[in-house]
């Protein structure tokens, strides 16, 4: 089952920070690291992210369960570069027919994998420590986002777990009617596509009903809406954002000083 509920300890110091502050810190931290292709800067960033994880109240085992799709993506990046990389500089390591692995290819793959983890982990941590309702409230109050956008995003977060349940229900209903792919890979692919299409149609219908319901409740009106829970942006929240930018800048500076900096453009 898909779950987007916060899993952090409620008393953790950084987990209590304003949701907009955590989101802004993650975005700025990730944006700075995108500027380089070398493995040094993202490796430093990952070390810092894992070091401060207890301050967010998230256990490493929980983070591993939330971030397992990143591991699958990392394997895909390595395999793709090993097989299809155009530039194969550096020392030859393995040559098996059309497969040629060099130190340059592995270094590039390592840099991309580390950068993917360094950029994605802050987002995983933010959503593992933030209640969707608090995030919507903070977007409206602190980021001055339109209420229609913020509440729509909240509704989307709340409805995402239903996708897993509906997928299971559709699969069980088809199995009960005798529609089963067995061990045929082509039949499995066709069944997967048809199930995904049915899920997409259901999601569009639910989104349409939700949009009509929101309009009926005045979310598209220009009248200012009241809030039930105040979200305050304090000095500690500003320090969190500044600290994220400082750590990312320090990682880039270290990469430049060591001579490993490889700009994304140029």
């Amino acid at each position: 089952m898909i779950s987007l509920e916060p899993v952090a300890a409620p008393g953790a110091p950084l987990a209590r920070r304003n949701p907009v502050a955590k989101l802004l810190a993650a975005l700025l931290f990730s944006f700075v690291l995108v500027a380089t292709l070398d493995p040094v800067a993202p490796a430093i960033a990952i070390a810092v992210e894992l070091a401060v994880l207890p301050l967010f109240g998230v256990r490493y085992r929980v983070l591993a369960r939330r971030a397992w799709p990143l591991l699958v993506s990392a394997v895909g990046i390595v395999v793709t570069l090993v097989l299809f990389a155009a530039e194969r500089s550096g020392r030859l390591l393995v040559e098996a027919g059309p497969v040629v692995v060099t130190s340059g290819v592995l270094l590039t793959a390592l840099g991309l994998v580390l950068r993917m983890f360094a950029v994605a982990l802050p987002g995983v941590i933010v959503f593992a420590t933030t209640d969707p309702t608090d995030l919507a409230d903070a977007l409206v109050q602190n980021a001055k986002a339109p209420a229609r956008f913020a509440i729509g995003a909240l509704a989307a977060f709340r409805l995402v777990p239903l996708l897993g349940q509906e997928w299971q229900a559709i699969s069980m209903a088809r199995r009960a009617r005798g529609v089963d792919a067995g061990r045929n890979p082509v039949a499995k692919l066709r069944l997967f596509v048809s199930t995904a299409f049915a899920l997409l149609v259901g999601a569009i219908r639910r989104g349409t009903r939700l949009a009509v319901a929101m309009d009926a409740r005045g979310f598209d009106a220009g009248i200012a809406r009241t809030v039930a829970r105040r979200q305050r942006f304090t000095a500690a929240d500003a320090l969190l954002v500044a600290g994220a930018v400082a750590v990312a800048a320090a990682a880039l500076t270290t990469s430049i000083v060591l001579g490993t900096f490889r700009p994304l453009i140029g």
Side-chain angles (χ1 to χ4, degrees):
M1 178 179 172
I2 304 173
S3 176
L4 294 176
E5 294 299 320
V7 293
L14 294 184
R16 299 197 306 266
R17 298 275 61 85
N18 185 284
V20 168
K22 291 188 288 186
L23 185 62
L24 182 60
L27 290 176
L28 293 176
F29 188 83
S30 303
F31 180 76
V32 174
L33 294 175
V34 170
T36 180
L37 294 174
D38 72 283
V40 174
I44 296 174
I46 292 174
V48 173
E49 292 164 5
L50 295 179
V52 302
L53 195 61
L55 297 179
F56 283 95
V58 180
R59 292 178 294 178
Y60 293 102
R61 182 180 301 176
V62 174
L63 179 66
R65 287 203 302 266
R66 289 278 179 122
W68 69 264
L70 298 179
L71 299 176
V72 178
S73 301
V75 174
I77 290 175
V78 173
V79 171
T80 301
L81 285 178
V82 167
L83 294 178
F84 305 110
E87 182 180 355
R88 301 185 180 273
S89 59
R91 186 164 56 91
L92 180 64
L93 300 177
V94 177
E95 183 175 5
V99 179
V100 178
V101 181
T102 65
S103 58
V105 171
L106 291 183
L107 186 62
T108 301
L110 178 63
L112 289 175
V113 168
L114 290 178
R115 187 173 63 156
M116 178 190 67
F117 275 100
V119 169
L121 281 181
V124 175
I125 294 173
V126 167
F127 288 104
T129 59
T130 304
D131 182 77
T133 303
D134 291 337
L135 179 58
D137 290 339
L139 286 174
V140 173
Q141 299 174 43
N142 304 128
K144 305 304 179 184
R148 187 178 188 182
F149 166 78
I151 304 302
L154 171 62
F157 273 107
R158 294 301 188 191
L159 291 176
V160 163
L162 293 178
L163 295 178
Q165 299 176 8
E166 289 193 354
W167 184 281
Q168 185 178 11
I170 293 173
S171 300
M172 292 176 64
R174 291 185 171 181
R175 192 175 299 114
R177 294 196 303 267
V179 181
D180 193 1
R183 297 184 177 180
N184 188 337
V186 177
K188 284 185 178 181
L189 179 60
R190 292 173 56 188
L191 193 60
F192 175 85
V193 172
S194 62
T195 305
F197 182 75
L199 198 65
L200 175 62
V201 172
I204 293 175
R205 289 176 177 173
R206 186 180 296 110
T208 302
R209 290 196 299 268
L210 180 62
V212 173
M214 290 178 64
D215 285 344
R217 285 164 176 79
F219 279 94
D220 199 24
I223 303 174
R225 304 183 66 87
T226 58
V227 292
R229 297 189 294 184
R230 298 295 302 176
Q231 297 290 336
R232 304 186 184 280
F233 197 96
T234 63
D237 299 316
L239 286 177
L240 174 62
V241 177
V245 175
V247 170
L252 277 183
T253 303
T254 303
S255 174
I256 294 173
V257 171
L258 294 178
T260 60
F261 180 71
R262 295 172 57 196
L264 179 64
I265 300 175

